[in-house]
Amino acid sequence: MSDVLTYAIILAAGRGERMLANKNKMLLEIGGNSLLELCLTRFQENECIDHIFAVVASEDILPDNQSEIEQKDKLEEKYPKLASLVAGGKTRQDSVYNGLEAVKKHAADYCGRVLVLIHDGARCFVPSAVLESVTDALKTERCAVVAAVPVTDTIRQISDCRLEDLQVPREHLWQMQTPQAADLDILLHAFAHADQEGFLATDDIALLLRIGYPVRVVRGDRRNIKLTTPDDFEMARLLYETEYFKE
Ligand code: CTP
Ligand code: MG
């Protein structure tokens, strides 16, 4: 498989509004490391990944009086696979697009297949088995790949806090996680198409489905949670004390 280069784009340029932390949640720390660093560690340590781009908001990586260059050097030293930091955009979709453009430049002289795993930095505990399943599926089939888990709760529709008499059958319902991944050229095409149509989505698979590209689901993991609210963070802190997130 020497003709394949695998990139990860780690998204950390959101505002974390639902976390109510008065700062980007990716800067919150668990066990002395920021969520961004916890996530970078997962990708750094995984053999499937060749290069990483982290998409960040520039105001977030300039704490205290460190210069941008110092901060960038520090991270790149700690995480040798980190090719560079990339400035985020207004929406998640814009941030991914900026990451894809950075990958495109970095891989410009490469002749083999370029695979890209797009990952929510807020899923900072992604197990390595999930990264492996996604990359393995991507290498063996010409399709996009998404990690997902089956819904386990009973799902009903509500309207204005009242239950409607509608129970959504659970068998076919899965929760989408990240990584969401595909070949670079396919992703660039899907994003350009979405841009032309003014189509905005909360994940990348929606854009691939929109161009009719096949998407395969691989098993994600319940530990691959997206830290979104203060409850999620509190739970993650408690679980981190146990061995829950270790594989
Ligand atoms: N993200 C990003 N650029 C944006 C918006 C989101 O890189 N313009 C990233 C976030 O940092 C996060 C991931 O996309 O890792 C998933 O988004 P979400 O969980 O919604 O994070 P936030 O947008 O930061 O949170 P909120 O929606 O509560 O403000
Ligand atoms: Mg958001």
Side-chain angles (χ1 to χ4, degrees):
M1 285 288 180
S2 56
D3 59 342
V4 176
L5 209 50
T6 307
Y7 285 82
I9 295 176
I10 297 180
L11 299 168
R15 304 183 58 172
E17 279 171 359
R18 288 169 288 175
M19 190 58 86
L20 309 173
N22 289 324
K23 61 176 170 182
N24 182 351
K25 62 187 175 185
M26 295 306 300
L27 301 175
L28 296 176
E29 292 190 359
I30 295 182
N33 288 300
S34 68
L35 300 191
L36 174 60
E37 287 177 300
L38 288 169
C39 195
L40 283 167
T41 303
R42 295 278 163 158
F43 284 80
Q44 175 63 42
E45 289 177 355
N46 196 290
E47 284 182 4
C48 298
I49 307 298
D50 296 309
H51 301 290
I52 304 169
F53 281 95
V55 185
V56 296
S58 52
E59 62 269 26
D60 290 336
I61 58 156
L62 297 175
D64 310 328
N65 43 21
Q66 264 178 337
S67 77
E68 190 165 354
I69 302 291
E70 276 171 339
Q71 184 69 9
K72 189 170 164 281
D73 286 352
K74 208 176 92 188
L75 280 174
E76 284 175 10
E77 196 180 311
K78 199 165 167 194
Y79 305 99
K81 286 184 190 169
L82 183 63
S84 189
L85 299 176
V86 176
K90 203 163 174 229
T91 65
R92 181 186 180 284
Q93 197 163 310
D94 296 332
S95 291
V96 177
Y97 184 76
N98 293 354
L100 290 173
E101 284 293 312
V103 173
K104 185 175 147 191
K105 258 193 216 144
H106 194 266
D109 297 328
Y110 186 70
C111 299
R113 265 181 92 186
V114 178
L115 309 179
V116 185
L117 274 65
I118 300 165
H119 188 67
D120 290 332
R123 296 183 193 273
C124 50
F125 298 112
V126 57
S128 52
V130 174
L131 300 183
E132 278 145 30
S133 305
V134 171
T135 27
D136 285 353
L138 209 50
K139 282 177 184 173
T140 49
E141 290 176 50
R142 283 279 169 175
C143 61
V145 180
V146 58
V149 289
V151 164
T152 51
D153 291 327
T154 296
I155 307 286
R156 283 187 196 277
Q157 195 161 314
I158 65 160
S159 182
D160 292 331
C161 293
R162 282 183 190 278
L163 268 186
E164 293 188 351
D165 188 24
L166 187 63
Q167 184 173 334
V168 185
R170 196 168 56 197
E171 310 87 81
H172 301 297
L173 291 179
W174 286 55
Q175 271 172 260
M176 297 300 114
Q177 299 187 334
T178 65
Q180 306 199 350
D183 287 70
L184 174 65
D185 52 348
I186 302 291
L187 285 165
L188 286 169
H189 173 59
F191 273 71
H193 191 260
D195 189 44
Q196 263 168 20
E197 287 195 329
F199 178 64
L200 196 64
T202 53
D203 73 357
D204 317 295
I205 287 306
L207 275 51
L208 291 159
L209 292 173
R210 187 106 174 161
I211 58 162
Y213 199 65
V215 179
R216 175 162 165 211
V217 173
V218 297
R219 277 248 166 200
D221 191 302
R222 298 209 175 273
R223 290 169 294 179
N224 187 21
I225 51 170
K226 181 160 75 71
L227 303 190
T228 306
T229 61
D231 295 359
D232 294 332
F233 185 67
E234 205 46 47
M235 185 81 83
R237 260 174 11 103
L238 289 171
L239 288 170
Y240 189 80
E241 300 299 319
T242 69
E243 292 291 289
Y244 183 77
F245 289 118
K246 311 270 183 315
E247 279 169 286

